[in-house]
Amino acid sequence: MTDHEIVVRPIETADELDAVKEIYRTQKALLGFFPDEAFQQRADAKQILIAWSDSDAAGYVLFATNQRYEVRITHLCVKPDYGNRKIAKQLIAALVEAYPNRSRIRLNCRVDYEAAGRYRRMGFSELRRFPGKKQGGSELIAFALAINETPLFDALDEPSETATVVCDTMVCIDIEDQDRPHHKASSGLRADWLVDEINLKVTPGIFADLGRQAEPLRSDMISAVKTGWDQVAADHLEVERQLREVRQIMGEPKDDSSASDQRHIAIAAAIEAAAFVTRDEEVLSFREQIQSSLGLRLLPPAEFITEYDAVLNSHRYQYRELSRSGIERRRVASIDEFDLKCFIDSAGGESLKVFRAELIAMLAAPREWEIYRVCSRSDECIALFAIRILDGGARDIQRLRLSRRLVGTRFGRILAEYFADQPLGAWRSGQRRTVTISDRFATPLVLGACSRRGWCQADGALWRLSLPGQWSQDSLSAELSAMSDSGIVPVEFAEQISRSVDIDHNRLGNEVETQQLERLIHPGKVTFGQLPTWVIPIQPRWAQELFDFRLWDLPLFDPETSLVINPDSAYYKSPRQGPSTPFGRILWYVSGDKRKGGGRVRACSTLTKRVQGTVKNLFREFQRFGVYEWRHLMENFKDADAQGLAIEFTSTELFETPITFEVVNDVLESHGMKRQQFISAVLIPDSAFQEIYSRSTQREH
């Protein structure tokens, strides 16, 4: 074959996606089942890189980024004709270049595959071995290639929680019986790339279901389940509570089969399973109501494989649970207020005696240290922070712990995201400062969340910079240079942000880079680039649920608690009333009664996603944020198949001075726009945003 230059890039067209699927079909026997919908989703997410030799597709890598800050490879395929062209090595190099701040690249490979040797030659190291789950499958090797080697990622090598996925009886039979028509789709749940991401289980009730099957299927399946499947164990009282909710939704069971289905679902909900996988169309007809009420996804096998990343995120984060928890923070006055044993890492060599002595010394120096505990209605201490106050307003979080009782729970995962978004007491709007996390025993769950939320690794610690105000490109560069020269921040950290500053932000196509820069200096805003700003109307009811605790009629939270503000959330609009770009800034105009906080622009957020589709599909994708229940969408849209728009946003900043309807319109007029009623999203000029934002950060006198 003639040597042409190899070019690696994300796929861009339907024809290119077809070329990828054609390569996949040549190796499908090795790779296992992967639905067309899953290919399309990864293509839309720019998670397929294709290698081109002239006009010929030579190979591709299909991947995802997960919550452990890894790039996880699902497929790495090269056409046989290109076996000597080092295509795989170039695809891996392109991944490293595209994700320099991720921890590592991960993949699973069978021991008996020739590719296992190639991965070693490309620099991958063997993490561990474990049995494969496919019929006839051999032992698997978990390989990893480090991208960002830092001690803070050491916790990634510790055993991680694997999400439980409960299969109903028919899916279980499909997987075990190769002659069934749905075997290929269902057995995709046991693909090598998924085997250490999910733990397939069944409920004890499966044996009653199998007992109703004819021989020899009954005996064969009972034997297969006993020897090859784990069964879930759930608290009886919790199962009964969940079962009552299931029956309120699905009605009283008509027969033994429907009674069994309902109990399977109740058990899956009781153990906080990531999903319940079924092909039963009658059961799936209740999927939105079950998800809204119980937080459990019901999915057919192929759809689970397509949406597995969103499913696992949904399993990890449901902010509704946090909003109902009544959490608050309290300044620690004495270490006798709580049980210290819940916060030490004895397995890592940390001593209770030393930990206790360290906290006592911190409490004896209140001008230097701030120590907080986070409490819920049911627990006097669920998290602990010890923050050292440094010169110039900097903060060093030297103790950052989540109670061991919450590790592995959904509530614990939610708290980790909140703490990472804005550690309590670490900074407040209007103050320029740096924040570091230097606790070598910090809870890995929280460290992982920090890595996802704009923290950078430097000098063996995690760093976050808060630069409030508005910055030109020159002034921001000068500020970073000054901070680096004076030793306020490490050179490596300043350089990471400077690289984001120095790109051509005025070039169309670089809007996402401008958005990422603002995330790195949050709550700071830049006055350069092509980042659009939208004024979006929102009802007071949803503003208070989504971001603004000041609008609560009966506050559930301590007003000083930063955790009131969701790091991420989603808001639903009709397609004609929402923004037309998938990124940008949002100025939230809260409508309604002025006496209750309405008629003002009250906050600014970062727009991170815009998805249009049927209401039922939008709910499935964004329900993890937990504010909206299915009934709320039905009240607004009336029809599950109606077209809607979901707006995902993050990094919300509440304004010191909310801007009135009249003042906003005066500003818009002064910048050449007509006065607006803000019935739908309004795109405004950069100059108008800068003036509104400047006014919003001025304190009222």
Side-chain angles (χ1 to χ4, degrees):
M1 175 166 290
T2 304
D3 282 354
H4 293 283
E5 181 185 1
I6 301 298
V7 177
V8 178
R9 58 173 174 77
I11 63 173
E12 297 175 351
T13 67
D15 287 342
E16 291 178 357
L17 181 56
D18 287 340
V20 164
K21 288 191 283 188
E22 182 60 35
I23 299 173
Y24 160 72
R25 282 189 283 271
T26 66
Q27 302 185 38
K28 186 176 180 179
L30 299 179
L31 297 170
F33 176 76
F34 202 72
D36 285 347
E37 294 82 1
F39 275 108
Q40 185 63 59
Q41 185 191 66
R42 297 292 183 89
D44 292 342
K46 304 298 183 184
Q47 292 180 338
I48 304 177
L49 300 181
I50 188 167
W52 291 98
S53 176
D54 196 14
S55 60
D56 188 35
Y60 75 94
V61 60
L62 184 148
F63 60 95
T65 54
N66 67 14
Q67 300 301 319
R68 286 169 59 76
Y69 221 57
E70 300 168 323
V71 178
R72 287 293 299 259
I73 291 178
T74 304
H75 295 166
L76 179 59
C77 293
V78 177
K79 283 183 177 178
D81 293 348
Y82 289 88
N84 297 321
R85 295 284 304 281
K86 298 183 179 180
I87 304 297
K89 188 173 183 178
Q90 294 180 69
L91 288 165
I92 295 297
L95 276 183
V96 172
E97 183 179 357
Y99 293 92
N101 292 320
R102 290 277 161 174
S103 61
R104 63 192 181 190
I105 298 172
R106 276 270 284 110
L107 58 89
N108 297 331
C109 180
R110 279 176 44 162
V111 172
D112 57 340
Y113 283 177
E114 183 183 345
R118 290 200 296 269
Y119 290 129
R120 291 189 179 93
R121 291 192 292 273
M122 285 191 290
F124 282 79
S125 58
E126 183 176 321
L127 293 179
R128 63 188 179 96
R129 297 189 179 206
F130 50 92
K133 294 293 183 68
K134 291 191 296 187
Q135 290 181 342
S138 69
E139 189 178 39
L140 294 175
I141 303 174
F143 283 110
L145 177 68
I147 298 176
N148 192 337
E149 297 190 71
T150 168
L152 287 167
F153 284 126
D154 288 347
L156 292 174
D157 292 322
E158 299 175 358
S160 62
E161 179 195 3
T162 302
T164 294
V165 175
V166 177
C167 294
D168 80 348
T169 304
M170 288 300 102
V171 171
C172 179
I173 295 174
D174 288 342
I175 291 173
E176 293 293 337
D177 187 348
Q178 298 185 52
D179 295 328
R180 289 174 70 90
H182 296 281
H183 170 72
K184 287 186 177 180
S186 295
S187 62
L189 296 168
R190 283 188 163 176
D192 292 341
W193 64 275
L194 258 181
V195 70
D196 59 341
E197 292 270 67
I198 62 172
N199 193 354
L200 290 182
K201 294 187 178 183
V202 292
T203 79
I206 192 173
F207 293 106
D209 294 343
L210 294 175
R212 292 190 288 271
Q213 305 298 315
E215 291 287 5
L217 180 63
R218 176 172 58 202
S219 297
D220 291 345
M221 282 303 305
I222 289 175
S223 175
V225 171
K226 284 183 176 179
T227 58
W229 287 75
D230 292 329
Q231 298 175 45
V232 300
D235 178 77
H236 173 73
L237 293 178
E238 180 62 17
V239 171
E240 292 302 314
R241 187 182 74 81
Q242 298 285 356
L243 186 57
R244 287 193 292 272
E245 288 201 44
V246 171
R247 287 183 175 169
Q248 285 182 355
I249 295 168
M250 300 179 68
E252 290 298 317
K254 303 185 295 293
D255 50 32
D256 289 345
S257 179
S258 59
S260 180
D261 289 338
Q262 292 182 5
R263 184 164 290 276
H264 289 319
I265 293 169
I267 293 172
I271 66 164
E272 294 189 350
F276 179 73
V277 182
T278 178
R279 291 191 291 104
D280 190 314
E281 292 296 333
E282 182 177 357
V283 171
L284 289 169
S285 68
F286 296 100
R287 60 195 297 178
E288 280 80 20
Q289 296 95 318
I290 292 292
Q291 185 177 350
S292 180
S293 181
L294 280 68
L296 175 69
R297 283 187 177 231
L298 309 184
L299 296 165
E303 191 172 330
F304 176 88
I305 295 168
T306 299
E307 299 186 6
Y308 93 99
D309 190 46
V311 171
L312 296 188
N313 285 338
S314 175
H315 167 64
R316 287 181 170 88
Y317 312 119
Q318 288 196 353
Y319 293 112
R320 179 177 56 187
E321 294 189 12
L322 184 59
S323 68
R324 294 174 176 176
S325 68
I327 61 170
E328 63 177 353
R329 69 179 171 94
R330 299 174 186 171
R331 188 79 176 258
V332 172
S334 168
I335 59 171
D336 296 325
E337 294 176 358
F338 52 91
D339 184 2
L340 292 180
K341 293 193 295 294
C342 293
F343 299 101
I344 64 167
D345 183 4
S346 54
E350 192 173 29
S351 160
L352 176 60
K353 182 178 179 180
V354 172
F355 186 58
R356 180 184 179 89
E358 290 170 341
L359 290 182
I360 290 174
M362 293 173 186
L363 288 171
R367 293 187 177 182
E368 184 180 358
W369 293 91
E370 295 176 350
I371 304 179
Y372 297 99
R373 61 187 173 102
V374 181
C375 313
S376 69
R377 292 191 184 101
S378 59
D379 197 326
E380 279 299 296
C381 196
I382 57 179
L384 180 69
F385 292 81
I387 303 170
R388 189 176 185 184
I389 307 166
L390 304 177
D391 293 340
R395 298 290 190 269
D396 180 21
I397 305 174
Q398 294 195 6
R399 299 295 179 271
L400 175 57
R401 310 293 172 88
L402 188 66
S403 171
R404 286 204 309 269
R405 291 190 293 269
L406 295 181
V407 174
T409 69
R410 181 179 289 162
F411 186 49
R413 292 186 291 266
I414 298 163
L415 283 174
E417 293 297 314
Y418 274 84
F419 297 157
D421 187 65
Q422 191 178 70
L424 298 181
W427 64 72
R428 289 188 174 85
S429 179
Q431 297 183 353
R432 188 178 308 178
R433 58 177 44 150
T434 61
V435 183
T436 57
I437 299 174
S438 58
D439 183 358
R440 66 190 184 97
F441 293 112
T443 304
L445 191 65
V446 180
L447 291 180
C450 288
S451 296
R452 291 188 292 276
R453 296 195 174 275
W455 296 73
C456 299
Q457 296 81 36
D459 280 7
L462 282 171
W463 288 75
R464 182 89 179 256
L465 188 61
S466 176
L467 291 179
Q470 300 188 74
W471 298 87
S472 68
Q473 204 160 8
D474 289 342
S475 64
L476 186 53
S477 292
E479 177 69 15
L480 291 168
S481 295
M483 295 179 78
S484 177
D485 293 343
S486 63
I488 295 175
V489 299
V491 173
E492 177 188 357
F493 176 54
E495 287 178 347
Q496 286 184 62
I497 302 179
S498 293
R499 285 195 292 271
S500 293
V501 176
D502 292 341
I503 69 170
D504 182 4
H505 289 273
N506 289 316
R507 178 175 172 267
L508 287 176
N510 282 351
E511 295 88 350
V512 174
E513 283 76 9
T514 307
Q515 189 169 64
Q516 174 63 14
L517 175 58
E518 288 199 344
R519 185 170 189 174
L520 292 173
I521 65 171
H522 180 77
K525 304 293 184 290
V526 299
T527 60
F528 50 91
Q530 301 289 326
L531 196 60
T533 299
W534 299 87
V535 180
I536 298 180
I538 187 170
Q539 297 174 17
R541 172 191 180 186
W542 298 119
Q544 72 178 20
E545 291 269 9
L546 292 169
F547 55 80
D548 198 341
F549 66 88
R550 299 170 301 186
L551 297 175
W552 283 100
D553 294 328
L554 296 172
L556 296 177
F557 302 88
D558 179 333
E560 293 298 316
T561 302
S562 308
L563 301 179
V564 175
I565 306 169
N566 287 355
D568 310 304
S569 207
Y571 185 50
Y572 298 89
K573 302 281 288 183
S574 73
R576 290 179 297 176
Q577 294 181 331
S580 60
T581 60
F583 46 77
R585 307 183 190 95
I586 297 173
L587 290 174
W588 292 107
Y589 173 74
V590 181
S591 58
D593 193 335
K594 295 180 181 179
R595 295 170 298 179
K596 296 183 179 180
R600 290 174 173 82
V601 171
R602 302 188 63 90
C604 181
S605 299
T606 299
L607 171 63
T608 54
K609 203 171 188 180
R610 176 193 184 277
V611 179
Q612 185 173 336
T614 63
V615 172
K616 63 183 180 185
N617 287 339
L618 293 176
F619 178 75
R620 292 169 192 166
E621 181 171 355
F622 293 97
Q623 191 268 346
R624 66 185 183 274
F625 297 126
V627 173
Y628 291 92
E629 298 180 16
W630 179 242
R631 61 183 176 85
H632 295 139
L633 297 185
M634 287 299 92
E635 289 170 4
N636 185 63
F637 290 95
K638 310 302 181 187
D639 182 357
D641 291 315
Q643 285 292 305
L645 178 70
I647 305 163
E648 184 180 301
F649 62 93
T650 190
S651 302
T652 298
E653 177 188 6
L654 299 181
F655 287 160
E656 293 278 355
T657 305
I659 309 300
T660 66
F661 174 86
E662 291 78 11
V663 170
V664 171
N665 268 304
D666 289 345
V667 171
L668 296 184
E669 273 195 321
S670 70
H671 290 273
M673 290 187 65
K674 296 179 180 179
R675 299 183 76 85
Q676 302 289 327
Q677 294 299 314
F678 302 117
I679 297 171
S680 58
V682 176
L683 180 65
I684 66 173
D686 287 347
S687 57
F689 165 73
Q690 291 162 21
E691 183 174 347
I692 291 170
Y693 186 79
S694 177
R695 293 187 183 216
S696 73
T697 55
Q698 299 169 0
R699 292 182 180 272
E700 294 180 319
H701 298 289

mmCIF file of all heavy atoms in Angstrom, residues 27-32 108-121 134 136-141 143 192:
data_model
loop_
_atom_site.group_PDB
_atom_site.id
_atom_site.type_symbol
_atom_site.label_atom_id
_atom_site.label_comp_id
_atom_site.label_asym_id
_atom_site.label_seq_id
_atom_site.Cartn_x
_atom_site.Cartn_y
_atom_site.Cartn_z
ATOM 1 N N GLN A 27 -14.601 -6.184 12.405
ATOM 2 C CA GLN A 27 -14.042 -6.715 13.652
ATOM 3 C C GLN A 27 -15.103 -6.872 14.729
ATOM 4 O O GLN A 27 -14.791 -6.944 15.919
ATOM 5 C CB GLN A 27 -12.910 -5.804 14.146
ATOM 6 C CG GLN A 27 -11.798 -5.651 13.120
ATOM 7 C CD GLN A 27 -10.625 -4.852 13.637
ATOM 8 O OE1 GLN A 27 -10.243 -4.958 14.798
ATOM 9 N NE2 GLN A 27 -10.041 -4.035 12.772
ATOM 10 N N LYS A 28 -16.354 -6.935 14.305
ATOM 11 C CA LYS A 28 -17.462 -7.004 15.246
ATOM 12 C C LYS A 28 -17.399 -8.239 16.137
ATOM 13 O O LYS A 28 -17.767 -8.190 17.318
ATOM 14 C CB LYS A 28 -18.789 -6.981 14.472
ATOM 15 C CG LYS A 28 -20.016 -6.900 15.344
ATOM 16 C CD LYS A 28 -21.277 -6.774 14.489
ATOM 17 C CE LYS A 28 -22.522 -6.680 15.353
ATOM 18 N NZ LYS A 28 -23.758 -6.543 14.521
ATOM 19 N N ALA A 29 -16.900 -9.334 15.596
ATOM 20 C CA ALA A 29 -16.816 -10.561 16.389
ATOM 21 C C ALA A 29 -15.914 -10.383 17.604
ATOM 22 O O ALA A 29 -16.147 -10.987 18.654
ATOM 23 C CB ALA A 29 -16.310 -11.717 15.520
ATOM 24 N N LEU A 30 -14.893 -9.552 17.474
ATOM 25 C CA LEU A 30 -13.988 -9.295 18.594
ATOM 26 C C LEU A 30 -14.518 -8.205 19.514
ATOM 27 O O LEU A 30 -14.338 -8.271 20.735
ATOM 28 C CB LEU A 30 -12.602 -8.888 18.071
ATOM 29 C CG LEU A 30 -11.861 -9.912 17.210
ATOM 30 C CD1 LEU A 30 -10.534 -9.333 16.755
ATOM 31 C CD2 LEU A 30 -11.638 -11.206 17.982
ATOM 32 N N LEU A 31 -15.168 -7.211 18.934
ATOM 33 C CA LEU A 31 -15.569 -6.035 19.705
ATOM 34 C C LEU A 31 -16.902 -6.208 20.411
ATOM 35 O O LEU A 31 -17.166 -5.561 21.428
ATOM 36 C CB LEU A 31 -15.639 -4.806 18.789
ATOM 37 C CG LEU A 31 -14.317 -4.398 18.144
ATOM 38 C CD1 LEU A 31 -14.556 -3.344 17.080
ATOM 39 C CD2 LEU A 31 -13.345 -3.892 19.196
ATOM 40 N N GLY A 32 -17.784 -7.037 19.887
ATOM 41 C CA GLY A 32 -19.098 -7.226 20.489
ATOM 42 C C GLY A 32 -20.110 -6.229 19.964
ATOM 43 O O GLY A 32 -19.818 -5.344 19.155
ATOM 44 N N ASN A 108 -9.659 -2.116 28.318
ATOM 45 C CA ASN A 108 -9.593 -3.532 28.675
ATOM 46 C C ASN A 108 -9.291 -4.344 27.428
ATOM 47 O O ASN A 108 -9.819 -4.063 26.345
ATOM 48 C CB ASN A 108 -10.916 -4.015 29.272
ATOM 49 C CG ASN A 108 -11.266 -3.305 30.561
ATOM 50 O OD1 ASN A 108 -10.383 -2.873 31.303
ATOM 51 N ND2 ASN A 108 -12.553 -3.175 30.848
ATOM 52 N N CYS A 109 -8.465 -5.369 27.582
ATOM 53 C CA CYS A 109 -8.108 -6.224 26.449
ATOM 54 C C CYS A 109 -7.965 -7.661 26.932
ATOM 55 O O CYS A 109 -7.411 -7.908 28.011
ATOM 56 C CB CYS A 109 -6.796 -5.753 25.819
ATOM 57 S SG CYS A 109 -6.266 -6.735 24.395
ATOM 58 N N ARG A 110 -8.461 -8.612 26.128
ATOM 59 C CA ARG A 110 -8.332 -10.016 26.495
ATOM 60 C C ARG A 110 -6.870 -10.458 26.445
ATOM 61 O O ARG A 110 -6.102 -10.038 25.575
ATOM 62 C CB ARG A 110 -9.175 -10.892 25.563
ATOM 63 C CG ARG A 110 -10.627 -10.915 25.946
ATOM 64 C CD ARG A 110 -11.492 -11.697 24.995
ATOM 65 N NE ARG A 110 -10.933 -12.982 24.574
ATOM 66 C CZ ARG A 110 -11.659 -13.958 24.027
ATOM 67 N NH1 ARG A 110 -12.970 -13.791 23.851
ATOM 68 N NH2 ARG A 110 -11.102 -15.086 23.645
ATOM 69 N N VAL A 111 -6.512 -11.321 27.380
ATOM 70 C CA VAL A 111 -5.139 -11.817 27.466
ATOM 71 C C VAL A 111 -4.718 -12.509 26.175
ATOM 72 O O VAL A 111 -3.559 -12.381 25.731
ATOM 73 C CB VAL A 111 -5.009 -12.796 28.659
ATOM 74 C CG1 VAL A 111 -3.648 -13.484 28.650
ATOM 75 C CG2 VAL A 111 -5.218 -12.071 29.968
ATOM 76 N N ASP A 112 -5.643 -13.231 25.541
ATOM 77 C CA ASP A 112 -5.290 -14.021 24.360
ATOM 78 C C ASP A 112 -5.351 -13.235 23.058
ATOM 79 O O ASP A 112 -5.150 -13.801 21.986
ATOM 80 C CB ASP A 112 -6.188 -15.261 24.263
ATOM 81 C CG ASP A 112 -7.669 -14.906 24.224
ATOM 82 O OD1 ASP A 112 -8.020 -13.784 24.634
ATOM 83 O OD2 ASP A 112 -8.481 -15.747 23.786
ATOM 84 N N TYR A 113 -5.625 -11.923 23.118
ATOM 85 C CA TYR A 113 -5.631 -11.112 21.901
ATOM 86 C C TYR A 113 -4.214 -10.617 21.600
ATOM 87 O O TYR A 113 -3.471 -10.210 22.513
ATOM 88 C CB TYR A 113 -6.560 -9.911 22.048
ATOM 89 C CG TYR A 113 -8.039 -10.228 21.913
ATOM 90 C CD1 TYR A 113 -9.000 -9.231 22.093
ATOM 91 C CD2 TYR A 113 -8.484 -11.510 21.604
ATOM 92 C CE1 TYR A 113 -10.361 -9.502 21.971
ATOM 93 C CE2 TYR A 113 -9.828 -11.795 21.476
ATOM 94 C CZ TYR A 113 -10.762 -10.794 21.665
ATOM 95 O OH TYR A 113 -12.098 -11.070 21.548
ATOM 96 N N GLU A 114 -3.883 -10.599 20.320
ATOM 97 C CA GLU A 114 -2.576 -10.097 19.905
ATOM 98 C C GLU A 114 -2.380 -8.638 20.304
ATOM 99 O O GLU A 114 -1.258 -8.196 20.565
ATOM 100 C CB GLU A 114 -2.450 -10.253 18.382
ATOM 101 C CG GLU A 114 -1.107 -9.836 17.822
ATOM 102 C CD GLU A 114 -1.071 -9.944 16.307
ATOM 103 O OE1 GLU A 114 -1.977 -10.596 15.726
ATOM 104 O OE2 GLU A 114 -0.147 -9.372 15.713
ATOM 105 N N ALA A 115 -3.495 -7.892 20.392
ATOM 106 C CA ALA A 115 -3.404 -6.464 20.720
ATOM 107 C C ALA A 115 -2.785 -6.228 22.092
ATOM 108 O O ALA A 115 -2.217 -5.156 22.347
ATOM 109 C CB ALA A 115 -4.799 -5.830 20.673
ATOM 110 N N ALA A 116 -2.888 -7.197 23.001
ATOM 111 C CA ALA A 116 -2.332 -7.004 24.347
ATOM 112 C C ALA A 116 -0.841 -6.683 24.273
ATOM 113 O O ALA A 116 -0.344 -5.811 24.995
ATOM 114 C CB ALA A 116 -2.579 -8.245 25.196
ATOM 115 N N GLY A 117 -0.111 -7.364 23.399
ATOM 116 C CA GLY A 117 1.312 -7.071 23.240
ATOM 117 C C GLY A 117 1.562 -5.708 22.638
ATOM 118 O O GLY A 117 2.501 -5.000 23.019
ATOM 119 N N ARG A 118 0.684 -5.301 21.697
ATOM 120 C CA ARG A 118 0.856 -3.985 21.070
ATOM 121 C C ARG A 118 0.661 -2.864 22.087
ATOM 122 O O ARG A 118 1.367 -1.853 22.032
ATOM 123 C CB ARG A 118 -0.114 -3.830 19.904
ATOM 124 C CG ARG A 118 0.223 -4.704 18.700
ATOM 125 C CD ARG A 118 -0.435 -4.177 17.433
ATOM 126 N NE ARG A 118 -1.892 -4.224 17.519
ATOM 127 C CZ ARG A 118 -2.630 -5.255 17.121
ATOM 128 N NH1 ARG A 118 -2.039 -6.346 16.638
ATOM 129 N NH2 ARG A 118 -3.944 -5.219 17.203
ATOM 130 N N TYR A 119 -0.286 -3.023 22.994
ATOM 131 C CA TYR A 119 -0.507 -1.976 23.989
ATOM 132 C C TYR A 119 0.730 -1.805 24.876
ATOM 133 O O TYR A 119 1.105 -0.680 25.219
ATOM 134 C CB TYR A 119 -1.740 -2.281 24.840
ATOM 135 C CG TYR A 119 -3.041 -2.146 24.070
ATOM 136 C CD1 TYR A 119 -3.987 -3.168 24.069
ATOM 137 C CD2 TYR A 119 -3.317 -1.001 23.332
ATOM 138 C CE1 TYR A 119 -5.170 -3.052 23.355
ATOM 139 C CE2 TYR A 119 -4.491 -0.873 22.614
ATOM 140 C CZ TYR A 119 -5.412 -1.911 22.627
ATOM 141 O OH TYR A 119 -6.582 -1.791 21.916
ATOM 142 N N ARG A 120 1.345 -2.906 25.219
ATOM 143 C CA ARG A 120 2.564 -2.796 26.031
ATOM 144 C C ARG A 120 3.649 -2.054 25.258
ATOM 145 O O ARG A 120 4.370 -1.226 25.823
ATOM 146 C CB ARG A 120 3.056 -4.190 26.433
ATOM 147 C CG ARG A 120 2.147 -4.906 27.432
ATOM 148 C CD ARG A 120 2.822 -6.192 27.935
ATOM 149 N NE ARG A 120 1.970 -6.876 28.897
ATOM 150 C CZ ARG A 120 1.096 -7.830 28.578
ATOM 151 N NH1 ARG A 120 0.962 -8.194 27.296
ATOM 152 N NH2 ARG A 120 0.373 -8.414 29.494
ATOM 153 N N ARG A 121 3.768 -2.353 23.965
ATOM 154 C CA ARG A 121 4.802 -1.686 23.162
ATOM 155 C C ARG A 121 4.511 -0.206 22.981
ATOM 156 O O ARG A 121 5.435 0.580 22.741
ATOM 157 C CB ARG A 121 4.921 -2.378 21.792
ATOM 158 C CG ARG A 121 5.507 -3.785 21.872
ATOM 159 C CD ARG A 121 5.875 -4.323 20.498
ATOM 160 N NE ARG A 121 4.712 -4.580 19.666
ATOM 161 C CZ ARG A 121 4.020 -5.720 19.672
ATOM 162 N NH1 ARG A 121 4.381 -6.707 20.484
ATOM 163 N NH2 ARG A 121 2.983 -5.890 18.868
ATOM 164 N N LYS A 134 -18.097 -12.422 29.038
ATOM 165 C CA LYS A 134 -18.729 -12.982 27.850
ATOM 166 C C LYS A 134 -18.555 -14.494 27.824
ATOM 167 O O LYS A 134 -17.553 -15.025 28.317
ATOM 168 C CB LYS A 134 -18.135 -12.371 26.574
ATOM 169 C CG LYS A 134 -18.477 -10.915 26.372
ATOM 170 C CD LYS A 134 -18.102 -10.432 24.995
ATOM 171 C CE LYS A 134 -16.628 -10.474 24.742
ATOM 172 N NZ LYS A 134 -16.256 -9.855 23.456
ATOM 173 N N GLY A 136 -17.382 -17.842 26.733
ATOM 174 C CA GLY A 136 -16.182 -18.208 25.998
ATOM 175 C C GLY A 136 -15.073 -17.182 26.114
ATOM 176 O O GLY A 136 -14.015 -17.335 25.504
ATOM 177 N N GLY A 137 -15.305 -16.118 26.881
ATOM 178 C CA GLY A 137 -14.304 -15.076 27.033
ATOM 179 C C GLY A 137 -13.207 -15.489 27.990
ATOM 180 O O GLY A 137 -13.406 -16.308 28.880
ATOM 181 N N SER A 138 -12.006 -14.952 27.802
ATOM 182 C CA SER A 138 -10.891 -15.289 28.671
ATOM 183 C C SER A 138 -10.628 -14.140 29.631
ATOM 184 O O SER A 138 -11.370 -13.165 29.686
ATOM 185 C CB SER A 138 -9.648 -15.583 27.828
ATOM 186 O OG SER A 138 -9.178 -14.392 27.226
ATOM 187 N N GLU A 139 -9.553 -14.248 30.357
ATOM 188 C CA GLU A 139 -9.167 -13.223 31.322
ATOM 189 C C GLU A 139 -8.913 -11.894 30.608
ATOM 190 O O GLU A 139 -8.411 -11.847 29.486
ATOM 191 C CB GLU A 139 -7.902 -13.689 32.034
ATOM 192 C CG GLU A 139 -7.508 -12.828 33.202
ATOM 193 C CD GLU A 139 -6.278 -13.374 33.905
ATOM 194 O OE1 GLU A 139 -5.353 -13.861 33.211
ATOM 195 O OE2 GLU A 139 -6.234 -13.334 35.148
ATOM 196 N N LEU A 140 -9.261 -10.803 31.283
ATOM 197 C CA LEU A 140 -9.048 -9.464 30.742
ATOM 198 C C LEU A 140 -7.903 -8.773 31.471
ATOM 199 O O LEU A 140 -7.680 -9.000 32.672
ATOM 200 C CB LEU A 140 -10.306 -8.617 30.889
ATOM 201 C CG LEU A 140 -11.541 -9.036 30.096
ATOM 202 C CD1 LEU A 140 -12.727 -8.144 30.461
ATOM 203 C CD2 LEU A 140 -11.276 -8.969 28.606
ATOM 204 N N ILE A 141 -7.212 -7.917 30.734
ATOM 205 C CA ILE A 141 -6.183 -7.057 31.324
ATOM 206 C C ILE A 141 -6.677 -5.622 31.254
ATOM 207 O O ILE A 141 -7.129 -5.163 30.198
ATOM 208 C CB ILE A 141 -4.845 -7.163 30.573
ATOM 209 C CG1 ILE A 141 -4.349 -8.608 30.532
ATOM 210 C CG2 ILE A 141 -3.796 -6.258 31.219
ATOM 211 C CD1 ILE A 141 -3.093 -8.789 29.684
ATOM 212 N N PHE A 143 -5.457 -2.062 30.991
ATOM 213 C CA PHE A 143 -4.258 -1.311 30.626
ATOM 214 C C PHE A 143 -4.480 0.175 30.879
ATOM 215 O O PHE A 143 -5.603 0.676 30.775
ATOM 216 C CB PHE A 143 -3.930 -1.507 29.143
ATOM 217 C CG PHE A 143 -3.278 -2.821 28.810
ATOM 218 C CD1 PHE A 143 -3.969 -3.792 28.106
ATOM 219 C CD2 PHE A 143 -1.968 -3.075 29.191
ATOM 220 C CE1 PHE A 143 -3.382 -4.996 27.777
ATOM 221 C CE2 PHE A 143 -1.362 -4.279 28.870
ATOM 222 C CZ PHE A 143 -2.068 -5.248 28.166
ATOM 223 N N ASP A 192 -16.407 -6.504 26.784
ATOM 224 C CA ASP A 192 -15.164 -6.342 27.540
ATOM 225 C C ASP A 192 -14.974 -4.913 28.041
ATOM 226 O O ASP A 192 -14.476 -4.698 29.148
ATOM 227 C CB ASP A 192 -13.966 -6.744 26.668
ATOM 228 C CG ASP A 192 -13.943 -8.240 26.359
ATOM 229 O OD1 ASP A 192 -14.604 -9.002 27.086
ATOM 230 O OD2 ASP A 192 -13.274 -8.633 25.384
#
